[in-house]
Amino acid sequence: MSLRESPFPNCFVEGLHAVSWGLILPCFWFLDRLIAVCMSTSLERTQRQEQECYLHPLKVFFGFILFLTLFLITAPLAFLGFLLWAPLQAARRPFSYYQEPPSRPTPAEEGERNLGFEAGANKATFGFATANLCLLPDGIARFNNLGHTQRRATAIGRSIVQGVNRPHIRIFVDSPSSCGTLSPSSSLLPGPSTTSPASYGATDPACQPPPQAHSDEDQADGAVPTTTPPKPSDSNYVVYEPCDDTEESSHSPAPVINTNHNSNQQDRKGHRNPPRALRTQGVAQRGQAGPDDVPWEVSSLFPANVDILCLEEVFDKRAAVKLTNTLGPLFNHILYDVGVYACQPPGSCSSFKFFNSGLFLASRYPVLEAQYHCFPNGRGEDALAAKGLLSAKVLVGQNQKEKKLVGYFNCTHLHAPEGEGEIRCEQLNMLTKWIQEFQVTNSKPDEVVVFDVLSGDFNFDNCSPDDSLEQRHSLFEEYRDPCRAGPGQEKPWVIGTLLEQPTLYHEDVRTPENLQRTLEREDLRKQYISSPVALDGCPMVYPELGQPWVGRRIDYILYRESSISKHCRTEIEELTFVTQLAGLTDHIPVGLRLNVFLDSDTAQSE
């Protein structure tokens, strides 16, 4: 089954919606500029002080008068557009679907995506990532100390492509005192290859963003210039390094363990960072790691070969389109503008949604089914946005017995205000119910389920006393959180993912490399990661004696095994805290690579 790209049932309704939004947009844009001209980010204030700019008060005064006048002039047209726009939302499907036209037949549709399973092998690897981007209308985003939404959207898209679209290299140190697996520096990425491109997810070099010149203002916003480097021959490399510096290094590709190929993996020319260790919980060698040990790292690049990407707070429609255009050649299937608008449920006046859910799902795999649910219990400013759950079923391949290999991916964004844990717990109950219903409704007997993942911004952490109610929710008995030691207790290596907004542009956290170094030092990290929230009237001592300082981790990637096929089991290959979006958002993205094993006796019969 393929999804329709338009969220409307026919061209006539879609045309009416375009006309109504065209009437609303000028008034909306002038209101946005009216707010933006009065709000400055800390970076803009610092730049004005350095430049001794005395004209800013005049700019604010005359800008306010100009945009207020234009807002009032266009308000009557916006009102007419609103009267036409609001009823149309009852006929709108709650997401838009983008599908990149493939330059060749889609391998996943031919059963060629995870060749390891199809050839009788018992392992394949899947990559997931989640990030909160705070892509609100520019005026509102400035309340979070983030401006220039459209330019940030473009820079974020390019950064994600730059990190994801590169080979996955794993380096092993051949020594009895091995420090474990190392993640590669960009200087070790392979050069050009004459072999043919690998299969699914391949993009034509012409589809990649061309090199562009960037103004000082773009660079101040964190825009990352990109180039299109040569193609490597494969997306996965295992490099063995002798520990003795006097020996000659030998680089020999090992058998491919993850066949999630991409034909246009990218190198970062001129970047010379040393290899960084994939660490475990105090265990020197992967072979000695216990069952609960998780290889992890802090990386200045997004993980290579991400298969499914979940983004939150992509509220701005123009920003969503920019992200779609940038990511489309890499992630051929995208669900955006997810959510409902106007009165919900239709015909009622109890809850009016001005913004969508902000969810954005990008997948290399074809989306077979998708469903969205809106949380009905939002309060305050959160009730203005249609926060909820987006569930998708994706086709990842086909085995030799012509059974489809499928995966379930769910993304969400929970209620935000502190001190309202009861609302978040109700929403967690809804998540559990909706996910179960979606999987029961869409499961088929001739399918093999290989993963079930839940990710997103949960807006609570596992160390704040104020979030103790959510920390004990039964969801964590069904889904495994790799960073969690227990209710209210993080594993010692975990890093918080919510940055302090006033310090977003400090030198220690302004660039990906600086933020990476900062997160790796506890004494610096506590200055820039949000601290746990105490209960009202109760003093808090944090951290406890002998425990590390973690901070608020509110961005999650969870997975479970109880809902996948009985002959499958999963193992975490690596978990990554990503600093590539430094200066572009107030969250730290998280990546997860998940190995899926199929029992060797049933690899061909499943």
Side-chain angles (χ1 to χ4, degrees):
M1 173 184 175
S2 60
L3 298 174
R4 291 179 294 104
E5 294 195 9
S6 172
F8 294 99
N10 55 63
C11 295
F12 177 73
V13 177
E14 186 175 7
L16 286 178
H17 180 268
V19 171
S20 65
W21 184 246
L23 294 173
I24 295 172
L25 182 59
C27 181
F28 177 83
W29 189 83
F30 292 136
L31 177 61
D32 184 45
R33 299 318 304 160
L34 176 64
I35 299 172
V37 78
C38 301
M39 291 287 298
S40 298
T41 65
S42 61
L43 177 62
E44 292 169 337
R45 291 193 294 270
T46 301
Q47 290 174 339
R48 287 199 300 269
Q49 292 175 357
E50 293 174 351
Q51 298 168 0
E52 297 184 356
C53 179
Y54 303 106
L55 298 179
H56 181 68
L58 292 177
K59 177 183 176 182
V60 171
F61 176 78
F62 288 108
F64 179 85
I65 297 298
L66 173 63
F67 290 121
L68 178 61
T69 302
L70 294 173
F71 168 73
L72 295 175
I73 291 173
T74 55
L77 286 177
F79 180 71
L80 292 176
F82 175 80
L83 294 179
L84 178 61
W85 172 86
L88 294 175
Q89 303 313 304
R92 177 184 176 273
R93 182 187 60 193
F95 52 80
S96 296
Y97 174 57
Y98 171 89
Q99 181 176 5
E100 178 75 11
S103 57
R104 54 175 293 179
T106 305
E109 295 175 352
E110 301 173 358
E112 297 177 359
R113 176 62 164 143
N114 272 290
L115 301 176
F117 283 153
E118 296 148 21
N122 63 348
K123 178 181 176 182
T125 304
F126 303 94
F128 310 96
T130 183
N132 184 313
L133 304 184
C134 196
L135 290 176
L136 290 151
D138 191 36
I140 302 177
R142 288 171 177 270
F143 287 93
N144 290 347
N145 200 23
L146 290 162
H148 306 288
T149 294
Q150 305 308 318
R151 282 184 295 192
R152 281 197 299 118
T154 301
I156 287 170
R158 290 173 178 166
S159 296
I160 293 173
V161 169
Q162 182 186 35
V164 171
N165 201 21
R166 61 190 173 91
H168 179 237
I169 305 175
R170 299 180 65 78
I171 305 172
F172 292 86
V173 180
D174 187 11
S175 168
S177 59
S178 170
C179 60
T181 308
L182 300 177
S183 63
S185 70
S186 300
S187 61
L188 294 174
L189 301 185
S193 171
T194 58
T195 58
S196 60
S199 57
Y200 185 68
T203 58
D204 192 310
C207 296
Q208 296 299 323
Q212 298 189 12
H214 293 264
S215 64
D216 292 340
E217 190 173 7
D218 287 339
Q219 293 180 2
D221 280 353
V224 180
T226 60
T227 59
T228 305
K231 300 178 186 177
S233 59
D234 199 354
S235 61
N236 297 274
Y237 298 88
V238 180
V239 179
Y240 294 89
E241 290 282 353
C243 215
D244 188 349
D245 293 338
T246 63
E247 294 186 24
E248 191 71 26
S249 297
S250 60
H251 298 257
S252 57
V256 176
I257 57 174
N258 168 20
T259 55
N260 298 349
H261 297 312
N262 191 316
S263 70
N264 194 29
Q265 310 298 349
Q266 295 193 12
D267 187 359
R268 292 181 65 197
K269 292 184 177 180
H271 191 71
R272 292 293 184 268
N273 278 347
R276 310 188 66 83
L278 270 181
R279 306 157 190 174
T280 57
Q281 301 174 48
V283 179
Q285 300 183 44
R286 284 290 302 272
Q288 298 175 355
D292 294 329
D293 290 319
V294 177
W296 65 280
E297 70 169 333
V298 180
S299 172
S300 61
L301 289 172
F302 268 84
N305 292 350
V306 169
D307 294 300
I308 302 180
L309 176 67
C310 172
L311 304 176
E312 301 87 48
E313 292 199 13
V314 187
F315 290 112
D316 188 273
K317 290 184 178 182
R318 291 186 296 152
V321 171
K322 290 179 184 293
L323 278 176
T324 300
N325 292 337
T326 305
L327 299 177
L330 184 61
F331 297 94
N332 295 160
H333 307 271
I334 296 177
L335 301 178
Y336 67 101
D337 194 11
V338 178
V340 291
Y341 296 95
C343 295
Q344 297 300 325
S348 70
C349 296
S350 58
S351 178
F352 193 94
K353 304 299 182 185
F354 287 93
F355 298 102
N356 59 31
S357 69
L359 298 175
F360 183 104
L361 177 64
S363 172
R364 298 185 195 262
Y365 302 109
V367 179
L368 298 177
E369 304 285 350
Q371 187 175 50
Y372 162 82
H373 289 279
C374 180
F375 294 132
N377 63 339
R379 292 182 190 171
E381 62 184 25
D382 250 36
L384 301 178
K387 289 185 175 181
L389 170 73
L390 176 64
S391 299
K393 175 184 175 182
V394 297
L395 173 65
V396 302
Q398 189 172 2
N399 66 9
Q400 289 183 327
K401 297 296 183 180
E402 297 186 356
K403 283 192 174 184
K404 291 181 179 178
L405 305 176
V406 301
Y408 291 105
F409 189 86
N410 309 279
C411 50
T412 189
H413 189 185
L414 301 186
H415 190 68
E418 298 174 0
E420 298 186 358
E422 296 86 357
I423 295 179
R424 283 186 287 272
C425 278
E426 291 176 4
Q427 293 177 348
L428 290 174
N429 292 336
M430 296 176 199
L431 291 182
T432 305
K433 176 176 177 288
W434 290 337
I435 291 173
Q436 182 65 24
E437 290 175 349
F438 178 77
Q439 295 184 6
V440 169
T441 302
N442 294 290
S443 63
K444 297 180 180 180
D446 61 341
E447 294 175 339
V448 178
V449 180
V450 296
F451 62 78
D452 179 2
V453 174
L454 169 62
S455 74
D457 180 353
F458 286 13
N459 273 313
F460 67 85
D461 59 63
N462 196 37
C463 59
S464 294
D466 189 56
D467 294 333
S468 59
L469 191 62
E470 302 96 296
Q471 294 162 6
R472 297 191 300 270
H473 195 274
S474 60
L475 176 78
F476 295 101
E477 298 174 5
E478 297 186 28
Y479 282 88
R480 180 186 175 191
D481 180 0
C483 301
R484 172 185 170 103
Q489 183 181 2
E490 299 280 50
K491 292 180 179 178
W493 48 267
V494 170
I495 294 173
T497 62
L498 182 62
L499 294 168
E500 290 283 3
Q501 293 171 353
T503 62
L504 288 179
Y505 305 107
H506 286 199
E507 194 62 32
D508 286 338
V509 295
R510 187 171 169 180
T511 68
E513 291 76 14
N514 288 357
L515 179 57
Q516 181 185 34
R517 287 191 291 267
T518 295
L519 294 183
E520 291 172 340
R521 291 183 52 185
E522 183 177 323
D523 58 328
L524 288 178
R525 186 167 67 233
K526 64 178 63 176
Q527 301 177 35
Y528 300 103
I529 298 293
S530 293
S531 300
V533 181
L535 286 170
D536 289 340
C538 297
M540 180 181 65
V541 178
Y542 181 82
E544 296 181 2
L545 186 63
Q547 296 297 315
W549 197 97
V550 173
R552 302 199 69 194
R553 178 181 62 91
I554 65 175
D555 300 271
Y556 293 74
I557 301 183
L558 315 178
Y559 70 97
R560 66 176 173 181
E561 291 191 330
S562 61
S563 56
I564 65 177
S565 297
K566 61 181 180 179
H567 297 296
C568 291
R569 64 181 179 87
T570 54
E571 174 189 85
I572 298 175
E573 181 174 306
E574 66 186 44
L575 188 139
T576 310
F577 298 96
V578 182
T579 66
Q580 193 170 4
L581 301 186
L584 297 172
T585 181
D586 55 351
H587 286 243
I588 296 172
V590 180
L592 178 70
R593 287 182 67 84
L594 201 62
N595 292 329
V596 178
F597 298 89
L598 192 62
D599 290 350
S600 57
D601 294 338
T602 58
Q604 297 187 24
S605 61
E606 257 290 327

